[in-house]
Amino acid sequence: MMRSDRSWTSGERFGRLAIMEATETKIRAEIASERRELADALDELTDQQWNSATLCSGWRAREVAAHMSMGFRYSFGRTALELARAGGNLHKMTDRLARRDAAALSPRELAAALRDNAHHPWKPPVGGLETALGHDVIHGLDISVALDLGRQVPEERLRIMLGTVSPRTLRFFGADLEDVELRATDLDWSYGRGTQVVSRPAQELLLLAYGRKLPTGPLDSRPAR
């Protein structure tokens, strides 16, 4: 069992402070900027890229983009109805809607759904504004990393997200990091107290903490000293 929930590194404390110090207005501004930037990136995708696989298993860029805007396009009542149709299975519902909407909406419409709703107040059912920001950041990386777009999440946005990493996050997203320490090579941040150290840029470590598998390159993993 990871010991990091009781013994934080200075990097973890910094991440927590980043969230505490970020005002609601600031986080909302970061959410809006993330959505607009992602919309701009999506506008540049070719047809082949729109149909390419992402870090979300089984979803192309089309399905990920459709999923990201689902909260803007579906009312609470309609979402509840769709969930009932899925037998209460949230994952089944989101997968079905993402595939259906990806087929029905054009690439231009999918990008516009993010841009036009940059300031939409939607939040996931569980979690606050940081979770809403995380939804956009992680799914944006699902697309940009898999398609090798070279997009870098701005540092302040990234620090807020790193501050959300916790044992609960790892469990929810199925990230198996037992006996592993994550150590960023580009920021003063680390997580965990495992005997194996994984050293990568913070953006990549964030994806690992959210249960993603990086598309290329072996992990720099070595025994802790």
Side-chain angles (χ1 to χ4, degrees):
M1 183 174 179
M2 297 185 66
R3 299 190 293 271
S4 55
D5 54 337
R6 299 189 182 280
S7 181
W8 292 354
T9 64
S10 60
E12 288 175 292
R13 292 192 187 94
F14 190 96
R16 294 292 177 182
L17 286 173
I19 288 181
M20 293 170 62
E21 294 172 356
T23 65
E24 179 176 326
T25 300
K26 176 61 176 176
I27 296 178
R28 288 190 185 280
E30 294 292 348
I31 291 172
S33 295
E34 181 71 10
R35 290 173 184 168
R36 286 192 294 261
E37 291 166 20
L38 287 174
D40 290 344
L42 291 176
D43 273 336
E44 298 297 320
L45 297 185
T46 64
D47 288 342
Q48 181 179 357
Q49 288 173 316
W50 274 107
N51 291 311
S52 295
T54 68
L55 300 186
C56 276
S57 180
W59 282 2
R60 301 167 299 171
R62 288 177 180 273
E63 282 78 29
V64 176
H67 172 71
M68 291 177 70
S69 62
M70 190 187 83
F72 318 143
R73 296 183 288 103
Y74 286 76
S75 66
F76 176 81
R78 186 179 177 189
T79 300
L81 178 60
E82 295 289 355
L83 184 59
R85 288 173 175 169
N89 188 315
L90 180 62
H91 295 296
K92 182 178 178 180
M93 180 198 75
T94 55
D95 183 67
R96 178 169 58 82
L97 295 183
R99 294 178 188 278
R100 185 180 72 187
D101 294 349
L105 299 173
S106 69
R108 183 180 295 275
E109 289 172 322
L110 289 170
L114 283 176
R115 183 180 293 107
D116 295 347
N117 290 283
H119 293 280
H120 196 285
W122 175 85
K123 292 183 292 186
V126 178
L129 286 175
E130 298 86 4
T131 308
L133 176 62
H135 186 266
D136 295 332
V137 168
I138 298 301
H139 282 310
L141 289 173
D142 284 335
I143 295 174
S144 63
V145 171
L147 273 58
D148 196 21
L149 301 182
R151 181 174 185 267
Q152 294 294 314
V153 176
E155 182 176 324
E156 183 159 355
R157 217 170 292 166
L158 188 59
R159 285 190 179 277
I160 293 173
M161 289 307 306
L162 291 170
T164 68
V165 177
S166 68
R168 180 182 178 184
T169 306
L170 302 183
R171 288 193 299 270
F172 184 84
F173 290 98
D176 184 8
L177 297 177
E178 185 175 358
D179 199 32
V180 171
E181 178 182 345
L182 302 179
R183 189 176 295 173
T185 57
D186 55 350
L187 292 177
D188 178 22
W189 182 86
S190 62
Y191 181 90
R193 288 290 192 280
T195 61
Q196 293 295 315
V197 175
V198 175
S199 298
R200 298 291 288 265
Q203 181 167 287
E204 297 182 13
L205 296 182
L206 180 65
L207 282 170
L208 293 176
Y210 274 75
R212 271 53 175 181
K213 293 183 179 179
L214 301 182
T216 59
L219 293 178
D220 176 10
S221 178
R222 61 188 184 279
R225 296 178 179 176

